[in-house]
Structure formats: structure tokens, C-alpha cells
Amino acid sequence: MAGGFLNIFKLGCPRCRQGKLYKNPNPYAFKEMGTMNKNCPACGQDFVIEPGFYFGATYVSYALNFAWIIPLFVLIYVVLDWPFETFVITMFILLPLLMPLILRASRSAFLAIYVKYDKELSQKLRAQS
């Protein structure tokens, strides 16, 4: 279970956990930020399951954004007792910086919902390399 959760943030293939989802590992290469491999380079898993498949990742992205915005609010406004404007400014500074990471993680998590891990395939690929 923990391996699958970590694999989401490693942006690996959910089926074999060997191949990478994205062609360019740098999320801040803006021209290639969302460019994914069509298939897993290791096991051949199709990453484009159907047209418009990754539209559903917007809901995961929404949840991931709340996962950092709520603790930020609690830290700045509740714990540190700083003005609300400080929270808003901090959020608007961090949001563009985290957006490429959240975009990639949300696609990875959404794909992992539909493609299950194949332990035997993963072990076979590891033995071949």
C-alpha cells in the first residue's frame, strides 16, 4: 500500500512501478510540463486509456490543493496569528510554484485508481534489468 502511494509522487507506472509517466522528469520545463509517455517504457501499459481520461484528474488536483492550503491557513492564521492577508499572499506565491507538481501528481494518482499494480510483472521486469 505504502509503495503505491509513494509511486504516485515518484510519477511511476502504476502497473509495474518501473517506467516513468512523463517524458521529461523536470516539472518546470513548461513546454513539456504535461507531456506524458503514451505507453510505459518498461511494461507497455497504455497511459491514454480513453480520450479525455485525465479530465477526472482535476478533481484529484482540487483535493491535493486543499491538502496544502488548509494546513497553511491553520499555521498562518490560527497558530501564528498573522493577518489573513499574509495567508492570501503566501498562498498566491506558492500556488504557481506548486502547480506543475500538483498537475503531475494528480494525473499519476488518477491513473493509479484505474490501473492496478501487477507484482509478478514488476518482479519479472526487475529480474530482466
Side-chain angles (χ1 to χ4, degrees):
M1 179 70 175
F5 184 73
L6 292 176
N7 189 60
I8 289 171
F9 293 100
K10 289 180 180 177
L11 307 175
C13 171
R15 183 173 169 220
C16 69
R17 296 184 184 163
Q18 306 294 316
K20 295 296 180 187
L21 292 176
Y22 290 90
K23 292 182 179 185
N24 189 338
N26 180 5
Y28 296 101
F30 292 111
K31 288 186 178 183
E32 299 175 324
M33 180 173 47
T35 306
M36 298 177 68
N37 291 314
K38 295 201 184 304
N39 300 81
C40 175
C43 71
Q45 170 65 45
D46 186 11
F47 291 153
V48 185
I49 294 177
E50 63 184 37
F53 175 74
Y54 289 104
F55 177 76
T58 57
Y59 297 103
V60 177
S61 175
Y62 185 78
L64 289 175
N65 275 304
F66 264 87
W68 71 267
I69 289 174
I70 298 301
L72 179 70
F73 174 79
V74 170
L75 175 69
I76 290 176
Y77 193 67
V78 178
V79 175
L80 298 175
D81 196 30
W82 291 351
F84 182 74
E85 292 80 11
T86 305
F87 162 72
V88 173
I89 291 167
T90 306
M91 183 183 70
F92 280 105
I93 291 170
L94 289 176
L95 187 61
L97 295 175
L98 293 175
M99 192 260 314
L101 301 172
I102 290 171
L103 170 96
R104 287 180 168 214
S106 64
R107 284 185 177 185
S108 178
F110 193 69
L111 184 63
I113 292 170
Y114 292 96
V115 177
K116 299 303 173 204
Y117 175 58
D118 186 340
K119 187 175 183 178
E120 292 175 13
L121 175 65
S122 181
Q123 290 172 344
K124 180 181 171 186
L125 290 172
R126 247 187 232 127
Q128 289 176 354
S129 58

